[in-house]
Amino acid sequence: MRKILAAVLALAPLALAQQVSPTTGNGPDAYAKGQDSAAVNQTIELILPKATALHLDVTTLTFDLTSLDGAGWPNSTPDFGGQMVCVYGLNDQDIKTQLGDNFYNQVQTLPLGTSYSVAQWPNVTINGGGQVTAYPPIKLDKDGQLVPGSKNYFVCYRTFILQKFSNGKKWELQVSRNDPQGAQGIQHLYIQDNPCDTFGAATGLYELPNGASLQLVPKNLQAGPTGSRSAQNPQRCGYKSWLDDLVVVAVKVNSDLWGKSTANLTYTLATTAW
C-alpha cells in the first residue's frame, strides 16, 4: 500500500507551500480610539496589466488521405482515431447564405451541403452523406457493383481547441490566410469558430481562400473578460480564465493535385474596448 501511495504522489502535481510575510506600510498609519469600539479604514487594490493572449496547441493540422483505403478495402472503414471524418456531400454544390451585420456581412457556407453539430462538447457530429472509405472515392456493394454517387466530391472535417484570453470589455477574433509563395495551395478550405459557452445549433462554415481574412466571432458574442465567459458554462469551459473555442476546419476534395497542399493561417485576437 505504501508503494502504491508513493507512486500516486509521484504522479500528482507538486504543490509547494508558499510563505507570506506581514505587509508593512510606508504611508500614514490609521489610528482610532474609542470607549466601546474603534474603526479604521483600509483600501484594497488589485492591479492587473492589460492582457490579450492566444494558445494554440495544434500548429500543424494534417488531412492525410493516404490512409483512406487500407488493407481491408473495400470492406474496411478507415479509422482516424475519431480525429478526422470524410463524408460525401448532400448537394452537388456548396450552399451559401448571406449573413447580416452581426456576422460582418460574411457568407456562411455548407460545403456540398454538409454541416456539423456538437454532440457532446467538444466532439462534433458531421451531417453529410455516407462516409468516404477510399481515395479516389469509390464504393462497391456486396456483389462488387459500383454504388451510385460514390465517385462524387467529398468533404473532410477536423477540429481543435483554440484558447483565448482577454481581460478587456470587448474583443474580436480574426483569421487570415497567406499561403507560402510558390507552394501548392489547398483549393477549398472552410473554417468556423465556436466559443464553449455559447455554441448553439448546427452551423455552417466560412470559405477561406488564399489572401482572405475573416471575423470568426459575431459581434454579439464578443463581450469580455474571457474568465467571466468561462464561468457562465463551466461544464463546457471549465473553471479557468481562458475561453475555449472549438475551431472546425473542412476541406472539399475534388480536383486537387497529388502530394502536399498547404494553407498558412494566422489567428489574431484583438481587445477592442478596455
Side-chain angles (χ1 to χ4, degrees), residues 13 17 21-22 39 75 98 107 124 139 156 169 190 195 203 211 213 219 229-230 238 243-244 247-249 260:
S21 302
N75 299 315
Q98 177 66 56
V107 176
V124 300
K139 281 186 178 180
C156 296
K169 296 178 181 178
Y190 310 82
T203 181
S213 295
K219 295 179 180 179
R229 291 278 298 273
S230 295
L243 186 65
D244 290 356
V247 181
V248 178
V249 177
K260 183 184 293 184

Side-chain angles (χ1 to χ4, degrees), residues 7-43:
V8 172
L9 291 176
L11 293 174
L14 186 60
L16 299 177
Q18 303 294 323
Q19 292 185 341
V20 179
S21 302
T23 301
T24 58
N26 296 322
D29 295 348
Y31 169 78
K33 178 181 178 181
Q35 181 173 334
D36 297 318
S37 66
V40 293
N41 294 327
Q42 183 185 51
T43 299

Side-chain angles (χ1 to χ4, degrees), residues 199-210:
F199 184 82
T203 181
L205 303 97
Y206 297 122
E207 187 167 10
L208 184 60
N210 185 29

